[in-house]
Amino acid sequence: MPRDLGGSKFVHSRSTVLLPCPSPSGNTMARSPTLSSSHSWGHRGQQTAAWTFLRKMPIVLWLLLLDTSLPTARSQATIPLETVKLWAETFGRDLYSTVTRYSGSLLLQKKYKDAEPSLKIKEVDGLELVKKFSEDMETMLRRKVEAVESLVEAAEEADLNHEFNASLVFNYYNSVLINEKDDKGNYVELGAEFLLESDAHFNNLRVNVSMSSVQLPTNVYNKDPDILNGVYMSEALNPVFVENFQRDPTLTWQYFGSSTGFFRIYPGIKWTPDENGVIAFDCRNRGWYIQAATSPKDIVILVDMSGSMKGLRMAIAKHTVTTILDTLGENDFVNIIAYNDYVHYIEPCFKGILVQADRDNREHFKQLVDELMVKGVGIVSQALIEAFQILKQFQESRQGSLCNQAIMLVTDGAVEDYEPVFETYNWPDRKVRVFTYLIGREVTFADRMKWIACNNKGYYTQISTLADAQENVMEYLHVLSRPMVINHDHDIIWTEAYMDSRLLTSEAQSLMLLTTVAMPVFSKKNETRSHGILLGVVGSDVTLRELMKLAPRYKLGVHGYAFLNTNNGYILSHPDLRPLYREGKKLKPKPNYNSVDLSEVEWEDQAEILRTAMINGETGSHSMDVKVPLDKGKRVLFLTNDYFFTDISDTPFSLGVVLTRGHGEYILLGNTSVEEGLHDLLHPDLTLASDWIYCITDIDPDHRKLSQLEAVVRFLTGVDPDLECDEELVREVLFDAVVTAPMEAYWTALALNISEESEPGVEVAFLGTRAGLLRRSLFVGSEKVSDRKFLTPEDEASIFTMDHFPLWYRQASEQPPGSFVFNLRWAEGPDSPGKPVAVRASTAITVTVDGKTAIAAAVGIQMQADYLQRQFWAAMQQCNTVEGPCPKRCQDTDLDCFVIDNNGFILISERPQEIGRLLGEADGALMTQLLSMGVFSRVTMYDYQAMCKPPDHHHSAAESLISPLSAFLTVAKWLLHECLLFLFEWSAWGSWQDKGSEAKAVFHHSHKHKKQDLLHPCDTEYPVFVHQTAIREANGIIECGGCQKTFVMQQIPSSNLLLLVTDRTCDCSAYSPILQEATEVKYIASVKCNRMRSQKPRRRPGSCHAFHPEENAQDCGGASDTLPSSPLLLLALWAWRLPPQLLW
């Protein structure tokens, strides 16, 4: 049936009607001229114009009659529909003949057809599958917990038997100093010889699996008595580390992070300082340490921004607030209030609420804190009232953490009467702890600040320098841990996904996502019980890649996958999680890579039914129609997915398994003899998916050097009886090896028949099966292959991985049976410059048993892009005339011919620069018409993990000319900063025990923080164009002002390709090009604020330790004992007399 679309009409299938089409403005244009005027005509003016027109009518008619004998300037090229159809059919027939011949697809389909009587197709029970995967993961994670529990027991026992010795002298393996020698060739102190060997289990890093080593951050003195006693005591962990690893060889890093700052790691490893010579890593700042040391908490930070806080004090205050933020995690809630003579939420959108302290919000707060300016008079009582009211409201409404609550007061003093505020809002129960941080050297207000903390179960510290902030902020964690320590509650915590920054010097390790299991270590000594002394935290890493191997890829079908998320709804592991982005030539973690919500990946879950069920730990299923992006977002698949989910016991994680309706619901089961299958496995061009687990090779060191194929062969031949293998997967591989074996002989015979003098064309034939088996055969020398990365790990999209089947396999599975899908490829990837060099074509091989159809394999070829073009231009020589030349050919100067794929990308064009581009980019008018006619549809896709460039800020070049003084002041500011930095490096301010190095690290960190990144996290939307397969033919006319452009579209049989023939003589450049560009989603202020304030459902951790009646609340801190050095004090006093804008 004809369909009316904005004044245009088209006919499905065999339409031969030429159609009027929209103008660039979107309206259908009339054929007659249009009169216009800059003034409105009245009724009389219209009558005059009509009379004039009627008087001139005879002349107009005479001119029109005369025009019929003359050639018209507006004539259009005629495109014979039957000829175009013949071209498409001829090209399609030739193409099909080529790809079936070289791929051997018909032979492979026959071989599987012949095997159907011995095949079974089993329907997959998604719920049973997800439960089985969950049980296997639980077993694996339980072994990690047992290892950590043994470390806790050993550490607490060692502390119980250790007596503190203030004069202890003890040498240990310092991770930074090991194997270091002085100028005389002698090992430096704490740097003895430490054997290191490369180990594949630890990402080929050089480690010592017999011994641990000890790392300390730059600001911790390596011979401090507390450090020496702690390191000596923790030597007892060495045999436990080794025993754990021997009992569970899948263990990776094990470690003990001490509350005093040292970090014992097994296996031992050498630590490398950063480019500034600084070791910034402090285990006490890590999420695993903080979460294990304290229960969840609601925090309101009050920061004084009155005039007295100018200069260095404000810099220290900002750094203190930033350090507090770094101690918070996704189970905590926070807000920041700046105060002077009024209360000011630094993020107005967060007024009156607490927000989750995830990475996004913490980074947002840091930027806002950095922008704070001092002014006015500080009145703390108003800020305290506001903070107490927020905390009370959240507690009563059952929001936030529902556990610890605290106020952090950062100020240089308090003068007014604040006691009534505590009497009204916090006494006598004192449910909100108050921690006070006195900024600067002034001690006038020290007693008042300590009184506030001690009378509200908090802790008081004085922070005089930037270097003091780290240690002093950490004190609040010890206070919050007291109730848990006194109770001896060893809660087990699991962290969100993160990248290991401890070992960023190793590229492989830096790209690996981990989760950590951790437990606190307490002092069991009776004399310190009421103090609740936290000794530290032990932990062990679990690579999420290893965990996801327990959800075998072959059981999930072509498009299926498994994923994990946390109790907060954040993704732990998902094939669509993209934690890295490219900045220049480097891959870097995205700022928010570990706070990507499930709803931002499975974004069709608009009602968040799936998300809510999973964070609640439910077991069940849910179905959704989804749009799956392919090929880096250039293409899309429309699928119906069934989601099955359950929780993983004793963890905050939930597991999901996705199966696609149709072929994804079935698994193919075959059987063959070991002898026959083993013979067909031993072929040089056969490989198995290296990421899949056919046999476990990463536990026994003797097995780690084996490829999966080698391990399978050793298992089948009985050479290595200790190998553990997935017998079901091995059986399927054997069956596929037997069925696909004839393809090798077929391809070899074909290659022998190809003359060396023949024109180069098809280069590679390949096939893959659902068991991860790959075969390939070259028709040319390997040095002549256009895309040499194809089917290698360098081209992940073309091979079987843990996350997905190959792109050519996935696309072929959604094509009609017997039809090939064609893809244009670049030698160095589509993001690289240069012309496309290869075309891949693939088709799926299906098997039907008892009315159930499953995909057994996919087969295809890779050919040179030029070869496809030569075949096309040869087919275009065909025409319907029996004798004489063709009336029209694609090579004619008045015609343009394109071959595009089902997503609108050009594979063939007379102009090489257009190949690979979207049709709308080359011909906006034609793409506009195809969209309006419904031949193509525009599908809007979303990316909630995108990185965008910040908006350009244009500064006036005249600014520096307005006042020459500004340049001088800028230089003065820089010189002052460098002077301060120099003095800090020499420890002129504060103690002489490495404080300067910490200050240096702080300064460098602050400068890095202020440097604007080129890209920032954002949400984007982008179009994908999809051919509507019901429309096989179409034609029409496009009105382009002074001319009309005709076109004909014809589908090329047995492919995803379309032939487009257009009139080249008509200039339609007035139409804007249609691009596939991602645009940032800009939210209006109110919507953006609502999104920021929204609190998604989450599941709180199961335990909470807020207070204990035996807690010693009088252990609440004291004044700093450091004294200022005279030179820096004088410099600081001089700096105070400068206007604050010159300093910071």
Side-chain angles (χ1 to χ4, degrees):
M1 290 290 291
R3 180 181 173 191
D4 193 313
L5 284 173
S8 300
K9 297 183 179 179
F10 71 95
V11 180
H12 290 258
S13 187
R14 302 181 180 274
S15 168
T16 58
V17 180
L18 297 179
L19 307 173
C21 303
S23 68
S25 63
N27 300 319
T28 303
M29 295 181 66
R31 298 292 302 273
S32 59
T34 301
L35 300 174
S36 62
S37 172
S38 59
H39 299 282
S40 299
W41 285 6
H43 182 65
R44 183 179 182 86
Q46 292 175 5
Q47 285 182 338
T48 303
W51 175 245
T52 303
F53 180 77
L54 288 174
R55 285 196 308 165
K56 294 181 180 180
M57 180 62 73
I59 301 173
V60 172
L61 290 174
W62 180 80
L63 289 173
L64 287 174
L65 288 171
L66 182 65
D67 187 55
T68 59
S69 63
L70 299 174
T72 176
R74 293 171 50 88
S75 65
Q76 59 196 42
T78 57
I79 303 176
L81 303 181
E82 290 304 318
T83 300
V84 174
K85 184 174 182 181
L86 177 65
W87 290 344
E89 290 175 349
T90 303
F91 181 51
R93 183 171 59 250
D94 294 347
L95 202 53
Y96 183 77
S97 174
T98 299
V99 293
T100 53
R101 179 188 177 210
Y102 283 94
S103 69
S105 59
L106 300 179
L107 173 62
L108 186 59
Q109 182 67 71
K110 182 179 182 300
K111 291 300 178 182
Y112 272 102
K113 185 73 176 176
D114 294 343
E116 282 183 2
S118 63
L119 287 172
K120 292 182 180 178
I121 294 180
K122 184 179 74 172
E123 190 167 354
V124 180
D125 186 330
L127 274 179
E128 288 302 314
L129 195 65
V130 75
K131 289 176 183 177
K132 174 65 168 61
F133 292 169
S134 173
E135 290 168 2
D136 292 344
M137 291 181 179
E138 180 187 341
T139 301
M140 176 189 177
L141 297 179
R142 182 64 210 167
R143 291 199 303 267
K144 315 305 177 192
V145 171
E146 290 170 356
V148 168
E149 288 174 335
S150 64
L151 290 171
V152 169
E153 184 178 345
E156 292 184 346
E157 189 65 24
D159 176 71
L160 189 62
N161 297 324
H162 175 73
E163 292 294 331
F164 184 85
N165 181 357
S167 59
L168 177 66
V169 177
F170 173 64
N171 287 326
Y172 58 93
Y173 291 111
N174 184 299
S175 291
V176 177
L177 301 176
I178 53 175
N179 298 330
E180 294 289 330
K181 294 182 178 181
D182 58 22
D183 295 338
K184 297 180 180 179
N186 300 318
Y187 287 107
V188 300
E189 193 175 13
L190 302 181
E193 182 180 9
F194 194 74
L195 183 63
L196 296 171
E197 295 180 341
S198 177
D199 194 312
H201 185 64
F202 295 94
N203 300 102
N204 294 313
L205 294 174
R206 291 171 53 80
V207 298
N208 185 324
V209 294
S210 302
M211 188 75 64
S212 63
S213 58
V214 176
Q215 175 268 344
L216 297 96
T218 300
N219 65 309
V220 176
Y221 180 46
N222 58 25
K223 286 190 175 182
D224 184 277
D226 287 334
I227 295 295
L228 289 176
N229 278 267
V231 171
Y232 180 81
M233 177 273 295
S234 65
E235 285 283 305
L237 296 180
N238 270 320
V240 185
F241 285 141
V242 176
E243 183 182 343
N244 283 343
F245 188 48
Q246 291 174 343
R247 186 169 56 247
D248 179 9
T250 66
L251 279 171
T252 55
W253 306 100
Q254 305 173 66
Y255 38 83
F256 169 65
S258 168
S259 61
T260 57
F262 74 84
F263 180 67
R264 181 177 289 278
I265 182 171
Y266 173 89
I269 189 170
K270 184 168 179 59
W271 213 284
T272 305
D274 65 17
E275 65 272 16
N276 301 309
V278 172
I279 302 293
F281 176 87
D282 189 324
C283 62
R284 297 166 298 177
N285 270 345
R286 307 303 290 171
W288 52 266
Y289 185 99
I290 294 164
Q291 291 179 47
T294 64
S295 295
K297 47 199 171 290
D298 297 338
I299 301 289
V300 179
I301 302 173
L302 305 181
V303 56
D304 186 351
M305 54 179 287
S306 62
S308 63
M309 290 285 290
K310 67 178 180 294
L312 188 59
R313 291 188 185 185
M314 197 61 198
I316 296 172
K318 289 177 179 180
H319 183 55
T320 301
V321 174
T322 297
T323 306
I324 295 172
L325 288 171
D326 285 337
T327 66
L328 304 180
E330 61 184 27
N331 289 318
D332 304 319
F333 288 78
V334 66
N335 205 340
I336 302 179
I337 296 175
Y339 71 91
N340 41 33
D341 41 10
Y342 69 96
V343 170
H344 167 69
Y345 286 87
I346 67 169
E347 171 51 76
C349 189
F350 294 159
K351 182 175 182 180
I353 65 169
L354 299 174
V355 295
Q356 195 170 3
D358 58 26
R359 183 183 293 264
D360 278 346
N361 285 332
R362 294 199 307 267
E363 292 302 315
H364 182 59
F365 276 132
K366 288 179 185 179
Q367 292 178 10
L368 296 174
V369 166
D370 194 51
E371 297 168 2
L372 289 177
M373 301 291 290
V374 298
K375 61 179 178 180
V377 179
I379 302 177
V380 71
S381 58
Q382 296 178 5
L384 285 169
I385 292 171
E386 189 74 18
F388 278 118
Q389 287 177 340
I390 294 174
L391 294 171
K392 180 181 179 181
Q393 172 194 341
F394 260 59
Q395 187 73 18
E396 291 176 349
S397 60
R398 309 294 294 170
Q399 293 178 280
S401 69
L402 295 182
C403 194
N404 287 291
Q405 291 195 323
I407 295 172
M408 310 296 202
L409 179 58
V410 181
T411 180
D412 62 348
V415 294
E416 79 271 23
D417 186 10
Y418 37 76
E419 185 173 344
V421 177
F422 299 120
E423 290 177 347
T424 304
Y425 292 95
N426 205 35
W427 295 350
D429 297 331
R430 293 173 169 83
K431 292 183 178 180
V432 178
R433 298 181 188 267
V434 181
F435 297 89
T436 54
Y437 301 91
L438 182 62
I439 303 300
R441 288 282 163 188
E442 183 61 55
V443 296
T444 304
F445 299 102
D447 290 340
R448 298 187 184 187
M449 300 300 290
K450 185 173 182 179
W451 182 90
I452 291 174
C454 294
N455 282 277
N456 291 278
K457 293 187 176 180
Y459 200 88
Y460 157 75
T461 58
Q462 184 168 7
I463 303 178
S464 305
T465 71
L466 290 168
D468 291 339
Q470 178 72 38
E471 293 295 323
N472 287 322
V473 165
M474 286 296 165
E475 293 294 343
Y476 97 88
L477 294 177
H478 299 157
V479 174
L480 292 186
S481 69
R482 286 175 188 165
M484 178 173 59
V485 176
I486 295 171
N487 269 338
H488 284 185
D489 290 323
H490 290 97
D491 293 338
I492 300 166
I493 68 99
W494 291 91
T495 68
E496 71 279 5
Y498 70 96
M499 291 182 188
D500 194 352
S501 66
R502 286 177 285 129
L503 306 167
L504 280 176
T505 52
S506 162
E507 183 177 352
Q509 185 72 16
S510 67
L511 304 184
M512 187 173 293
L513 283 172
L514 310 169
T515 182
T516 292
V517 55
M519 293 177 64
V521 179
F522 310 137
S523 171
K524 289 185 175 180
K525 296 176 180 178
N526 287 329
E527 60 268 27
T528 61
R529 175 178 171 81
S530 65
H531 293 272
I533 295 178
L534 175 73
L535 298 176
V537 172
V538 295
S540 180
D541 291 344
V542 179
T543 58
L544 293 172
R545 182 182 181 82
E546 293 301 315
L547 187 60
M548 295 309 292
K549 285 181 179 179
L550 298 176
R553 191 67 192 76
Y554 75 96
K555 293 188 176 184
L556 305 177
V558 180
H559 304 301
Y561 55 91
F563 63 94
L564 289 165
N565 66 290
T566 70
N567 59 301
N568 287 296
Y570 296 143
I571 291 294
L572 198 68
S573 177
H574 193 291
D576 290 334
L577 178 65
R578 306 191 312 278
L580 303 172
Y581 75 103
R582 187 172 296 280
E583 187 174 88
K585 294 183 178 180
K586 291 185 178 180
L587 285 174
K588 299 176 63 176
K590 295 177 181 176
N592 59 339
Y593 74 90
N594 63 351
S595 58
V596 177
D597 196 84
L598 178 62
S599 62
E600 294 176 328
V601 177
E602 302 289 349
W603 50 268
E604 285 92 347
D605 183 27
Q606 298 292 329
E608 298 192 356
I609 296 171
L610 174 66
R611 182 188 185 279
T612 301
M614 291 191 70
I615 64 169
N616 289 334
E618 298 175 10
T619 299
S621 63
H622 180 60
S623 298
M624 287 192 296
D625 293 326
V626 298
K627 297 185 282 288
V628 180
L630 283 183
D631 200 6
K632 299 185 178 180
K634 296 200 310 185
R635 311 179 193 282
V636 64
L637 293 179
F638 299 90
L639 305 174
T640 299
N641 283 345
D642 291 323
Y643 294 78
F644 304 92
F645 47 84
T646 190
D647 70 327
I648 301 176
S649 299
D650 301 321
T651 75
F653 308 143
S654 289
L655 172 67
V657 164
V658 180
L659 301 176
T660 301
R661 291 269 179 92
H663 54 76
E665 299 175 301
Y666 304 117
I667 189 168
L668 191 63
L669 302 175
N671 207 353
T672 189
S673 67
V674 172
E675 294 77 14
E676 187 180 10
L678 190 57
H679 174 269
D680 291 326
L681 271 179
L682 300 174
H683 192 282
D685 286 333
L686 183 148
T687 59
L688 299 181
S690 59
D691 275 1
W692 292 16
I693 306 301
Y694 300 84
C695 298
I696 299 174
T697 59
D698 60 346
I699 294 180
D700 189 332
D702 293 333
H703 294 157
R704 288 177 190 154
K705 62 180 179 295
L706 297 176
S707 69
Q708 285 296 318
L709 180 56
E710 291 169 338
V712 168
V713 172
R714 291 171 70 93
F715 170 74
L716 292 172
T717 56
V719 171
D720 197 336
D722 294 331
L723 271 170
E724 292 182 42
C725 297
D726 186 330
E727 294 188 16
E728 180 182 340
L729 180 54
V730 170
R731 187 166 55 248
E732 298 312 314
V733 161
L734 283 176
F735 176 80
D736 287 344
V738 171
V739 176
T740 61
M743 300 299 294
E744 298 291 351
Y746 175 86
W747 289 333
T748 300
L750 201 59
L752 291 173
N753 290 331
I754 299 176
S755 168
E756 290 187 4
E757 288 78 24
S758 64
E759 206 171 21
V762 178
E763 302 172 330
V764 184
F766 56 88
L767 67 83
T769 74
R770 85 276 187 229
L773 179 147
L774 270 175
R775 288 187 188 270
R776 75 167 192 158
S777 181
L778 297 181
F779 298 124
V780 297
S782 58
E783 72 283 356
K784 296 182 180 179
V785 175
S786 302
D787 186 358
R788 298 179 191 177
K789 294 183 179 180
F790 181 52
L791 300 180
T792 71
E794 290 183 86
D795 184 7
E796 271 201 355
S798 70
I799 61 173
F800 292 92
T801 70
M802 280 184 57
D803 291 335
H804 54 70
F805 274 50
L807 175 63
W808 48 265
Y809 197 122
R810 298 182 70 185
Q811 286 187 279
S813 68
E814 298 307 310
Q815 281 290 109
S819 178
F820 282 80
V821 60
F822 291 79
N823 254 344
L824 193 66
R825 310 311 298 172
W826 281 253
E828 301 296 329
D831 294 331
S832 300
K835 68 176 184 178
V837 294
V839 175
R840 292 175 201 156
S842 58
T843 187
I845 305 298
T846 59
V847 175
T848 302
V849 177
D850 298 331
K852 300 174 184 175
T853 299
I855 293 178
V859 62
I861 62 170
Q862 176 173 291
M863 68 182 87
Q864 292 183 0
D866 293 343
Y867 176 70
L868 182 69
Q869 298 229 31
R870 289 194 299 271
Q871 278 206 319
F872 172 74
W873 295 119
M876 295 305 100
Q877 304 297 326
Q878 302 294 318
C879 60
N880 287 325
T881 58
V882 178
E883 297 180 358
C886 296
K888 282 290 180 183
R889 297 189 309 164
C890 267
Q891 290 88 342
D892 292 346
T893 56
D894 60 347
L895 291 184
D896 255 342
C897 293
F898 299 100
V899 173
I900 64 174
D901 65 19
N902 58 319
N903 295 114
F905 291 98
I906 301 172
L907 276 76
I908 297 174
S909 170
E910 291 183 82
R911 294 171 291 279
Q913 69 273 17
E914 293 178 347
I915 297 175
R917 294 163 61 187
L918 191 69
L919 176 65
E921 191 177 348
D923 193 332
L926 183 54
M927 193 65 182
T928 299
Q929 178 58 17
L930 293 176
L931 286 166
S932 70
M933 292 170 65
V935 177
F936 273 82
S937 62
R938 184 197 301 261
V939 179
T940 301
M941 301 289 287
Y942 297 93
D943 184 0
Y944 296 103
Q945 303 176 65
M947 299 291 289
C948 298
K949 292 183 179 180
D952 293 330
H953 296 288
H954 300 286
H955 299 282
S956 172
E959 284 182 4
S960 59
L961 302 177
I962 295 174
S963 172
L965 181 61
S966 63
F968 169 77
L969 294 177
T970 300
V971 173
K973 175 183 173 182
W974 176 83
L975 287 172
L976 178 60
H977 164 264
E978 292 300 313
C979 187
L980 286 170
L981 180 56
F982 172 79
L983 290 173
F984 271 125
E985 289 187 33
W986 282 91
S987 305
W989 186 302
S991 74
W992 285 81
Q993 295 178 352
D994 287 29
K995 293 281 187 178
S997 298
E998 167 65 5
K1000 179 180 178 182
V1002 168
F1003 268 78
H1004 280 291
H1005 172 76
S1006 66
H1007 275 270
K1008 287 183 179 179
H1009 178 68
K1010 290 180 181 179
K1011 182 182 177 181
Q1012 292 294 321
D1013 289 333
L1014 296 177
L1015 301 173
H1016 68 275
C1018 61
D1019 300 341
T1020 61
E1021 62 179 12
Y1022 61 95
V1024 177
F1025 303 96
V1026 181
H1027 171 235
Q1028 300 304 299
T1029 55
I1031 305 176
R1032 303 176 61 85
E1033 300 176 343
N1035 57 86
I1037 305 172
I1038 306 172
E1039 294 283 356
C1040 296
C1043 63
Q1044 295 175 326
K1045 182 172 187 170
T1046 60
F1047 70 91
V1048 176
M1049 183 278 289
Q1050 184 75 44
Q1051 183 164 5
I1052 297 171
S1054 302
S1055 75
N1056 67 324
L1057 303 179
L1058 303 172
L1059 172 61
L1060 282 166
V1061 182
T1062 72
D1063 174 11
R1064 182 189 290 187
T1065 61
C1066 182
D1067 180 12
C1068 288
S1069 57
Y1071 281 79
S1072 299
I1074 295 178
L1075 309 176
Q1076 191 183 41
E1077 290 184 342
T1079 57
E1080 183 175 357
V1081 178
K1082 298 288 188 180
Y1083 301 102
I1084 60 174
S1086 59
V1087 174
K1088 183 177 180 180
C1089 185
N1090 289 336
R1091 284 171 57 86
M1092 293 171 65
R1093 289 177 64 95
S1094 64
Q1095 304 280 341
K1096 287 183 178 291
R1098 55 184 294 275
R1099 175 164 44 113
R1100 293 180 178 86
S1103 61
C1104 171
H1105 309 281
F1107 296 99
H1108 194 282
E1110 298 180 27
E1111 180 182 343
N1112 180 11
Q1114 294 310 305
D1115 182 7
C1116 52
S1120 172
D1121 58 357
T1122 59
L1123 295 173
S1125 63
S1126 299
L1128 191 58
L1129 184 58
L1130 290 173
L1131 179 62
L1133 290 172
W1134 170 76
W1136 242 265
R1137 298 183 62 85
L1138 289 176
Q1141 62 267 26
L1142 299 186
L1143 294 174
W1144 306 104

